[in-house]
Short mmCIF file of all heavy atoms in Angstrom, two decimals:
data_model
loop_
_atom_site.label_atom_id
_atom_site.label_comp_id
_atom_site.label_asym_id
_atom_site.label_seq_id
_atom_site.Cartn_x
_atom_site.Cartn_y
_atom_site.Cartn_z
N LEU A 73 -10.35 77.91 -10.73
CA LEU A 73 -10.89 79.20 -10.99
C LEU A 73 -12.42 79.07 -11.05
O LEU A 73 -13.17 79.84 -10.55
CB LEU A 73 -10.30 79.83 -12.27
CG LEU A 73 -10.70 81.25 -12.57
CD1 LEU A 73 -10.24 82.13 -11.44
CD2 LEU A 73 -10.04 81.68 -13.87
N ARG A 74 -12.84 77.99 -11.79
CA ARG A 74 -14.25 77.76 -11.98
C ARG A 74 -14.93 77.53 -10.60
O ARG A 74 -15.98 78.11 -10.31
CB ARG A 74 -14.43 76.49 -12.83
CG ARG A 74 -15.78 75.91 -12.76
CD ARG A 74 -15.88 74.88 -13.88
NE ARG A 74 -17.16 74.21 -13.78
CZ ARG A 74 -17.35 72.99 -13.35
NH1 ARG A 74 -16.30 72.23 -13.06
NH2 ARG A 74 -18.47 72.43 -13.27
N ALA A 75 -14.23 76.68 -9.74
CA ALA A 75 -14.84 76.41 -8.43
C ALA A 75 -14.96 77.67 -7.60
O ALA A 75 -16.00 77.89 -6.96
CB ALA A 75 -13.98 75.39 -7.73
N ALA A 76 -13.88 78.53 -7.71
CA ALA A 76 -13.91 79.77 -6.92
C ALA A 76 -15.03 80.72 -7.39
O ALA A 76 -15.71 81.40 -6.62
CB ALA A 76 -12.59 80.43 -6.99
N LEU A 77 -15.18 80.76 -8.76
CA LEU A 77 -16.17 81.65 -9.32
C LEU A 77 -17.59 81.14 -8.98
O LEU A 77 -18.52 81.93 -8.77
CB LEU A 77 -16.02 81.77 -10.82
CG LEU A 77 -14.77 82.51 -11.30
CD1 LEU A 77 -14.71 82.51 -12.78
CD2 LEU A 77 -14.77 83.95 -10.76
N MET A 78 -17.72 79.82 -8.96
CA MET A 78 -19.05 79.28 -8.60
C MET A 78 -19.42 79.68 -7.19
O MET A 78 -20.58 79.87 -6.85
CB MET A 78 -19.05 77.73 -8.82
CG MET A 78 -19.44 77.38 -10.20
SD MET A 78 -19.00 75.70 -10.58
CE MET A 78 -19.82 74.77 -9.37
N ARG A 79 -18.40 79.66 -6.35
CA ARG A 79 -18.62 80.04 -4.99
C ARG A 79 -19.16 81.46 -4.88
O ARG A 79 -19.93 81.76 -4.04
CB ARG A 79 -17.33 79.86 -4.16
CG ARG A 79 -17.64 79.88 -2.67
CD ARG A 79 -16.40 79.45 -1.95
NE ARG A 79 -15.45 80.51 -1.83
CZ ARG A 79 -14.55 80.55 -0.84
NH1 ARG A 79 -14.53 79.65 0.06
NH2 ARG A 79 -13.71 81.53 -0.77
N ARG A 80 -18.62 82.30 -5.79
CA ARG A 80 -19.09 83.69 -5.78
C ARG A 80 -20.27 83.94 -6.66
O ARG A 80 -20.61 85.04 -6.99
CB ARG A 80 -17.93 84.57 -6.25
CG ARG A 80 -16.78 84.56 -5.27
CD ARG A 80 -15.74 85.48 -5.64
NE ARG A 80 -14.64 85.29 -4.67
CZ ARG A 80 -13.59 86.03 -4.62
NH1 ARG A 80 -13.44 87.10 -5.44
NH2 ARG A 80 -12.62 85.84 -3.72
N ARG A 81 -20.87 82.83 -7.11
CA ARG A 81 -22.13 82.89 -7.91
C ARG A 81 -21.93 83.69 -9.22
O ARG A 81 -22.88 84.38 -9.68
CB ARG A 81 -23.23 83.55 -7.11
CG ARG A 81 -23.59 82.76 -5.86
CD ARG A 81 -24.96 83.10 -5.48
NE ARG A 81 -25.19 82.91 -4.06
CZ ARG A 81 -26.21 83.39 -3.42
NH1 ARG A 81 -27.09 84.15 -4.09
NH2 ARG A 81 -26.42 83.18 -2.17
N VAL A 82 -20.75 83.60 -9.84
CA VAL A 82 -20.58 84.24 -11.10
C VAL A 82 -21.21 83.40 -12.19
O VAL A 82 -21.02 82.20 -12.16
CB VAL A 82 -19.05 84.42 -11.40
CG1 VAL A 82 -18.85 85.01 -12.80
CG2 VAL A 82 -18.43 85.26 -10.34
N PRO A 83 -22.02 83.91 -13.09
CA PRO A 83 -22.65 83.09 -14.08
C PRO A 83 -21.72 82.85 -15.33
O PRO A 83 -20.68 83.51 -15.44
CB PRO A 83 -23.89 83.89 -14.52
CG PRO A 83 -23.43 85.32 -14.30
CD PRO A 83 -22.43 85.30 -13.20
N VAL A 84 -22.11 81.97 -16.21
CA VAL A 84 -21.55 81.69 -17.52
C VAL A 84 -20.06 81.28 -17.48
O VAL A 84 -19.67 80.20 -18.02
CB VAL A 84 -21.74 82.93 -18.49
CG1 VAL A 84 -21.28 82.54 -19.89
CG2 VAL A 84 -23.21 83.31 -18.52
N ILE A 85 -19.25 82.13 -16.91
CA ILE A 85 -17.75 81.93 -17.00
C ILE A 85 -17.36 80.52 -16.47
O ILE A 85 -16.51 79.87 -17.11
CB ILE A 85 -16.99 83.01 -16.30
CG1 ILE A 85 -17.34 84.36 -16.93
CG2 ILE A 85 -15.49 82.83 -16.42
CD1 ILE A 85 -16.87 85.57 -16.21
N PRO A 86 -17.93 80.07 -15.36
CA PRO A 86 -17.50 78.70 -14.88
C PRO A 86 -17.69 77.63 -15.95
O PRO A 86 -16.87 76.82 -16.15
CB PRO A 86 -18.45 78.48 -13.71
CG PRO A 86 -18.77 79.82 -13.19
CD PRO A 86 -18.80 80.75 -14.35
N ARG A 87 -18.84 77.74 -16.69
CA ARG A 87 -19.12 76.74 -17.76
C ARG A 87 -18.11 76.83 -18.84
O ARG A 87 -17.65 75.83 -19.36
CB ARG A 87 -20.51 77.01 -18.25
CG ARG A 87 -21.06 76.00 -19.27
CD ARG A 87 -21.05 74.63 -18.88
NE ARG A 87 -21.76 74.30 -17.70
CZ ARG A 87 -21.88 73.07 -17.22
NH1 ARG A 87 -21.27 72.03 -17.80
NH2 ARG A 87 -22.49 72.79 -16.07
N LEU A 88 -17.68 78.04 -19.19
CA LEU A 88 -16.61 78.20 -20.23
C LEU A 88 -15.29 77.65 -19.75
O LEU A 88 -14.62 76.96 -20.49
CB LEU A 88 -16.45 79.72 -20.55
CG LEU A 88 -17.55 80.37 -21.30
CD1 LEU A 88 -17.29 81.82 -21.52
CD2 LEU A 88 -17.74 79.72 -22.67
N LEU A 89 -15.01 77.88 -18.49
CA LEU A 89 -13.78 77.34 -17.93
C LEU A 89 -13.77 75.81 -17.92
O LEU A 89 -12.78 75.12 -18.18
CB LEU A 89 -13.50 77.83 -16.52
CG LEU A 89 -13.10 79.29 -16.41
CD1 LEU A 89 -13.20 79.81 -14.99
CD2 LEU A 89 -11.67 79.48 -16.92
#
Side-chain angles (χ1 to χ4, degrees):
Chain A
L73 190 58
R74 166 170 174 250
L77 291 179
M78 271 164 56
R79 196 168 78 153
R80 295 185 184 188
R81 298 202 206 167
V82 176
V84 186
I85 302 169
R87 183 56 56 181
L88 288 177
L89 286 167

